[in-house]
Amino acid sequence: MDGLIDTGTKVRALPVSGALRPYVRALMATEIACSGPLPMAVAPHESIMLSVNLGRAADSIEQKGAHGHNTSLTGIREWTGAFNGAGNCVTLFALLTPLGVVQLLDSQPLDRVPRIRAPVAGLLDQRVTRRLESGIALAPTLEARLLTFASWLEERATAARKLDRTALRAGRAAMRLCQQPRLPIETLADEQAVSRRQLERDFGRWIGTSPRHLAQVARLQAVSRRAQAHGASLADIAADVGFADQSHMSRVVRQLTGLTPQRFVRARQSPLAQTFRQATGGGTVYL
């Protein structure tokens, strides 16, 4: 758990390694000293975001809500969401892979929970989230809080537990689609030995979205990564990512973000946005 990336006095990222690699894409922590409202926006990403949000006092941190109810889950977004942050808080983020949300949350169905900020205490035994929040609150620094969060995730990743086989099937298929968003849904269903309709039901229940939407979001993030890594032209990126042409890419990017591709890949570079980009290999999470 060493190798912290220091991107400023208020934002930290921790490289994901070892047992966490199949389950977590990125680990982040931020401390915001000023009070809100703070205008922010979050783009659709192929990860499910697990976050712990605690209030920041003068010389310590405290629970913002009831003990055990400060840990939440945000599923794969349908479009970019704008909101005003409250500020004066410490927030830890784990970007979970589809397989990660199955493993780390004990294969809990996501089809009946809110897509945005679902309380994890409603999915797991509340003693689990209380222990996590207590450990983070007692840690003396932002780095120590992030390491506490990572240790909690690793403990859950390596614990033996009985998981629903259809949830694991959906998680494996979703991982494959994130890696190859151009893969036809029928091919993905054949690989899992189920019908397309059954695979779509599995995705809705266990991943909280459809295969088609996940593929679109994965391609959106591939546009960002290609632009950050290679500086290729938008026409070349459209072809590489699998869009019919640049106009097709523009329509999808606008639909998901409200921005042109050019504005999307050059989104506002706040410290939080920059750190998320670095930790996700050039992806765009915060705009």
Side-chain angles (χ1 to χ4, degrees):
M1 293 298 180
D2 54 359
L4 285 163
I5 304 166
D6 188 343
T7 59
T9 59
K10 300 298 180 184
V11 185
R12 300 290 186 272
L14 182 65
V16 177
S17 60
L20 285 182
R21 280 189 179 275
Y23 308 121
V24 178
R25 295 189 194 279
L27 281 166
M28 310 274 304
T30 183
E31 181 175 0
I32 300 175
C34 62
S35 298
L38 303 171
M40 307 180 83
V42 184
H45 194 273
E46 67 265 61
S47 303
I48 295 96
M49 186 180 288
L50 179 66
S51 61
V52 183
N53 185 234
L54 302 173
R56 180 180 177 275
D59 56 357
S60 63
I61 62 174
E62 58 192 15
Q63 307 289 336
K64 294 194 75 167
H67 190 195
H69 290 264
N70 300 279
T71 305
S72 60
L73 191 73
T74 293
I76 296 169
R77 291 175 175 268
E78 294 184 353
W79 51 75
T80 294
F83 64 97
N84 284 321
N88 202 30
C89 65
V90 172
T91 307
L92 292 87
F93 307 92
L95 298 188
L96 307 183
T97 67
L99 196 58
V101 78
V102 172
Q103 173 76 15
L104 299 173
L105 297 184
D106 294 345
S107 61
Q108 292 295 320
L110 300 184
D111 55 346
R112 296 187 179 181
V113 301
R115 187 183 293 265
I116 308 298
R117 295 186 62 79
V120 174
L123 298 171
L124 301 176
D125 188 319
Q126 190 172 317
R127 289 174 295 182
V128 174
T129 52
R130 282 179 175 173
R131 183 169 67 86
L132 169 62
E133 292 170 17
S134 294
I136 291 171
L138 291 171
T141 64
L142 193 60
E143 290 88 347
R145 290 164 191 152
L146 186 53
L147 288 166
T148 298
F149 191 29
S151 295
W152 181 85
L153 291 164
E154 187 167 325
E155 179 183 320
R156 295 193 63 78
T158 55
R161 56 171 57 88
K162 187 176 181 180
L163 301 174
D164 189 285
R165 64 179 184 83
T166 60
L168 288 169
R169 181 175 68 198
R172 288 192 297 266
M175 295 286 283
R176 180 105 158 90
L177 197 57
C178 288
Q179 294 164 358
Q180 291 186 266
R182 300 171 65 178
L183 193 68
I185 307 304
E186 291 79 7
T187 301
L188 191 63
D190 288 343
E191 290 179 353
Q192 300 300 322
V194 295
S195 67
R196 172 174 179 152
R197 182 67 189 119
Q198 183 60 55
L199 186 66
E200 290 171 339
R201 285 195 293 266
D202 289 346
F203 266 62
R205 180 166 177 75
W206 303 109
I207 310 301
T209 192
S210 68
R212 181 180 182 278
H213 183 66
L214 179 59
Q216 292 284 60
V217 171
R219 287 204 289 181
L220 172 76
Q221 291 298 331
V223 169
S224 178
R225 291 187 179 100
R226 297 290 178 90
Q228 307 305 320
H230 305 298
S233 70
L234 291 177
D236 289 341
I237 292 172
D240 290 344
V241 173
F243 291 104
D245 52 32
Q246 188 173 340
S247 295
H248 181 207
M249 180 178 72
S250 295
R251 288 194 300 273
V252 171
V253 173
R254 278 185 179 275
Q255 176 186 353
L256 293 174
T257 70
L259 303 172
T260 65
Q262 187 170 36
R263 288 189 62 197
F264 172 64
V265 301
R266 297 179 179 175
R268 179 168 58 97
Q269 293 295 300
S270 68
L272 186 62
Q274 288 178 334
T275 307
F276 266 103
R277 267 202 174 138
Q278 181 183 5
T280 59
T284 297
V285 179
Y286 278 85
L287 293 167

